[in-house]
């Protein structure tokens, strides 16, 4: 590969200034005068370059990346194949609008989606730019195809920040506060949250309890779709108890409601399979994907059964940028890398390393309530010792201590108390091991009462 990209920058974790460093702090001041307060940044170090598991900032610090730009750069940042495909495409044409004059890349991405998403039935796809747009369009499809209005979502769900998807999202602050009213006919049912559910409750029991309430309150025959994340992402990397997803799928089939899997964060090899629904053999009617699909370029999709997707009238889908040619080229290159380098296998290896090391850490620290997740999507839920009370301040202290030492990870979860491990799937083993060594030090330091 002749392309030069930051992907291949040799490097290791290195902190040479305070974090954030002086240049980042200067930029941060500039930012405060220009960028709206509502837009946050978890770690305000300004990035200069990024590669396969490393973030290089403008102060000369290098961080191990356990975030992947919120689960986007699974193939790595500036991945050489993606860079080459994007360069090739931008020099041919940057945009026509598929609604005006089409191009092959769009069709090819939809063919890949038909091939890769669960189920071997005939499928159709429509492309958009953001995850929220994909979810929003999946709801449109479900309503058009069923002629019903009600949409059912889970507690702890996150589906986006547009008005409809905020309505679907569970958490009020900071996502929804002040932004309502939201659209009607959204109904929320309890999720399966094994760490917090009654001991011994099976996934099927959790689903039955939620669905019985739904039948009483809404009526199964009024439900257009159940929209769910097969692994709850922003809600805290919650893996439902086995049997929960299959029971919801069974119920949807019984009532003629559609099962919409929001695989925006869990899709494209992230959990050790192409899509997380596969772990329980669930075949959703519609799949929303985004994030990992295109190596950092904005692209999203709704993929589903041909007859359901085609219930939408000609011209019923659109958007100026949906399926932009540069984003499609990036997606085709990213999918090629995932296939060629077996990144689902890579995610399973990351899972082994993370679960092994983190469960070992759990055996030594009472504040670790649960270690959970699949593939390269692993969460560590922190609690006050001897209880299941969330410990968000502790999570913040651990994360701050990691940042100061050059390991970039975030917290996640409804209660803000889950450490979030979401590394690029191509992260070298050495970097992952190093980041976990640092994490152990941070736990020891924080446990000993040290400052972050
Ligand atoms: N569905 C499952 O994880 C995006 C949110 C970042 P967009 N998650 C990151 C933030 O705080 O805004 C997400 C997701 C799931 C939908 C979305 C929305 O995708 O591309 O951010 O619109």
């Amino acid at each position: 590969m002749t392309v030069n990209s930051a992907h291949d920058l040799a490097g290791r974790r290195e902190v040479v200034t305070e974090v954030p460093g002086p240049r980042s702090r200067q930029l941060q001041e500039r930012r405060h005068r220009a960028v709206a307060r509502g837009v946050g940044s978890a770690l305000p170090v300004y990035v200069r370059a990024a590669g396969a598991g490393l973030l290089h900032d403008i102060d000369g610090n290098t961080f191990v990346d356990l975030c992947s730009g919120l689960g986007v750069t699974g193939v790595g940042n500036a991945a050489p194949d993606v860079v080459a495909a994007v360069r090739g495409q931008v020099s041919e044409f940057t945009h026509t609008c598929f609604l005006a004059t089409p191009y092959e890349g769009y069709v090819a991405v939809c063919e890949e989606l038909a091939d890769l998403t669960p189920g071997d039935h005939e499928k159709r796809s429509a492309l958009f730019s953001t995850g929220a747009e994909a979810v929003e369009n999946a709801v449109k499809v479900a309503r058009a195809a069923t002629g019903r209005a009600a949409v059912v979502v889970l507690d702890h769900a996150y589906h986006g920040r547009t008005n409809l998807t905020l309505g679907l999202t569970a958490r009020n602050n900071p996502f929804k506060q002040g932004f309502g009213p939201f659209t009607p006919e959204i109904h929320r049912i309890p999720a399966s949250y094994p760490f917090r559910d009654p001991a011994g409750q099976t996934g099927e029991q959790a689903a039955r309890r939620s669905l019985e309430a739904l039948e009483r309150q809404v009526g199964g025959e009024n439900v257009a779709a159940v929209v769910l994340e097969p692994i709850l992402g922003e809600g805290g990397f919650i893996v439902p108890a086995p049997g929960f997803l299959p029971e919801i799928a069974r119920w949807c089939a019984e009532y003629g409601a559609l099962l919409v899997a929001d695989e925006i964060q869990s899709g494209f090899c992230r959990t050790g399979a192409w899509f997380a629904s596969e772990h329980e053999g669930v075949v959703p009617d519609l799949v929303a994907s985004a994030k990992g699909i295109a190596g950092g370029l904005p692209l999203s999709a709704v993929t589903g059964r041909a007859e359901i997707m085609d219930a939408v009238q000609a011209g019923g889908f659109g958007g100026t940028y949906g399926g932009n040619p540069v984003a499609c080229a990036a997606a085709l290159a990213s999918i090629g890398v995932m296939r060629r380098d077996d990144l689902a296998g890579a995610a399973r290896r990351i899972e082994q390393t993370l679960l092994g090391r983190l469960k070992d850490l759990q055996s030594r620290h009472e504040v670790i309530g649960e270690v959970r997740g699949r593939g390269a999507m692993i969460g560590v839920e922190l609690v006050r010792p001897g209880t299941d009370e969330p410990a968000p301040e502790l999570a913040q202290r651990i994360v701050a201590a990691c940042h100061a030492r050059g390991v970039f990870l975030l917290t996640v979860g409804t209660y803000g108390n889950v450490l979030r491990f979401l590394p690029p799937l191509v992260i070298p083993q050495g970097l992952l091991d190093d980041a976990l060594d640092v994490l152990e030090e941070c736990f020891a330091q924080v446990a000993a009462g040290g400052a972050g």
Side-chain angles (χ1 to χ4, degrees):
M1 188 65 44
T2 53
V3 174
N4 295 316
S5 84
H7 190 85
D8 297 322
L9 280 184
R12 55 186 178 79
R13 181 174 59 86
E14 188 171 26
V15 178
V16 296
T17 69
E18 270 180 86
V19 175
R23 290 183 175 191
S24 284
R25 286 206 303 271
Q26 240 173 29
L27 257 177
Q28 189 69 353
E29 271 173 39
R30 217 173 106 195
R31 165 201 177 130
H32 286 320
R33 291 189 293 275
V35 179
R37 180 175 81 139
V39 190
S41 294
L43 175 60
V45 299
Y46 284 74
V47 173
R48 177 180 59 76
L54 289 174
L55 293 169
H56 308 273
D57 82 2
I58 57 173
D59 287 288
N61 300 307
T62 299
F63 297 81
V64 179
D65 177 15
L66 299 182
C67 170
S68 311
L70 296 186
V72 171
T73 52
V75 296
N77 223 307
D81 292 74
V82 174
V83 173
V86 165
R87 282 192 179 152
Q89 182 58 47
V90 285
S91 59
E92 296 296 334
F93 62 97
T94 50
H95 175 81
T96 63
C97 186
F98 196 76
L99 311 182
T101 50
Y103 38 87
E104 185 179 347
Y106 191 116
V107 179
V109 169
C110 294
E111 288 168 348
E112 289 283 23
L113 284 161
D115 187 34
L116 297 172
T117 52
D120 50 15
H121 48 277
E122 204 176 327
K123 297 172 196 156
R124 303 278 185 272
S125 292
L127 303 184
F128 306 96
S129 302
T130 66
E133 244 185 313
V135 174
E136 181 130 11
N137 278 281
V139 170
K140 290 200 281 189
V141 175
R143 286 179 169 155
T146 61
R148 304 174 184 179
V151 177
V152 176
V153 287
L154 300 182
D155 195 5
H156 307 287
Y158 184 95
H159 296 294
R161 292 186 188 252
T162 59
N163 184 275
L164 174 66
T165 56
L166 271 183
L168 304 178
T169 291
R171 184 171 164 182
N172 180 54
N173 200 15
F175 302 133
K176 303 163 81 164
Q177 178 61 35
F179 298 150
F182 303 107
T183 67
E185 282 304 329
I186 294 169
H187 305 275
R188 192 172 308 285
I189 59 175
S192 163
Y193 191 159
F195 180 62
R196 298 191 172 280
D197 287 346
Q201 177 177 265
T202 67
E204 192 182 334
Q205 287 164 342
R208 285 306 327 152
R209 181 177 300 186
S210 293
L211 293 167
E212 274 157 26
L214 183 68
E215 285 165 24
R216 262 196 325 279
Q217 294 165 15
V218 181
E221 65 282 7
N222 297 316
V223 174
V226 177
V227 180
L228 55 76
E229 299 155 85
I231 296 179
L232 287 148
E234 303 301 314
F237 286 20
I238 304 162
V239 185
F244 181 80
L245 296 175
E247 177 56 17
I248 301 247
R250 192 203 59 72
W251 184 92
C252 284
E254 181 186 336
Y255 282 93
L258 304 185
L259 179 63
V260 179
D262 177 345
E263 293 257 17
I264 285 162
Q265 192 158 166
S266 57
F268 284 97
C269 299
R270 173 56 58 187
T271 68
W274 280 97
F275 291 90
S277 302
E278 292 168 40
H279 295 295
E280 287 207 72
V282 167
V283 178
D285 298 296
L286 297 171
V287 174
S289 43
K291 289 194 190 270
I293 189 176
L297 277 283
L299 186 74
S300 67
V302 182
T303 303
R305 294 181 186 281
E307 65 280 12
I308 294 171
M309 288 296 287
D310 286 343
V312 171
Q313 67 280 12
F317 287 130
T320 307
Y321 297 110
N324 167 272
V326 183
C328 286
L332 294 170
S334 300
I335 292 168
V337 171
M338 290 182 233
R339 257 206 199 93
R340 183 193 68 205
D341 298 343
D342 182 23
L343 293 194
R348 293 193 294 272
R349 284 193 297 281
I350 291 171
E351 172 181 326
Q352 273 186 359
T353 299
L354 285 174
L355 290 186
R357 291 282 304 265
L358 295 170
K359 286 189 170 166
D360 175 55
L361 200 61
Q362 180 181 25
S363 69
R364 283 177 281 125
H365 291 278
E366 238 196 319
V367 292
I368 300 183
E370 191 179 43
V371 176
R372 58 176 178 248
R374 291 190 199 275
M377 187 170 182
I378 303 291
V380 172
E381 178 151 4
L382 302 184
V383 291
R384 292 189 218 298
T387 75
D388 64 1
E389 270 175 61
E393 316 76 19
L394 176 65
Q396 279 311 329
R397 288 215 302 282
I398 298 278
V399 158
C402 286
H403 292 175
R405 288 170 171 75
V407 172
F408 181 49
L409 84 163
L410 298 179
T411 59
V412 72
T414 300
Y415 313 108
N417 66 327
V418 178
L419 304 177
R420 170 188 211 169
F421 297 83
L422 203 61
L425 309 178
V426 294
I427 191 170
Q429 183 70 34
L431 288 183
L432 194 58
D433 291 338
D434 173 53
L436 288 162
D437 291 344
V438 170
L439 182 81
E440 285 204 30
E441 286 167 30
C442 293
F443 262 95
Q445 177 200 349
V446 169

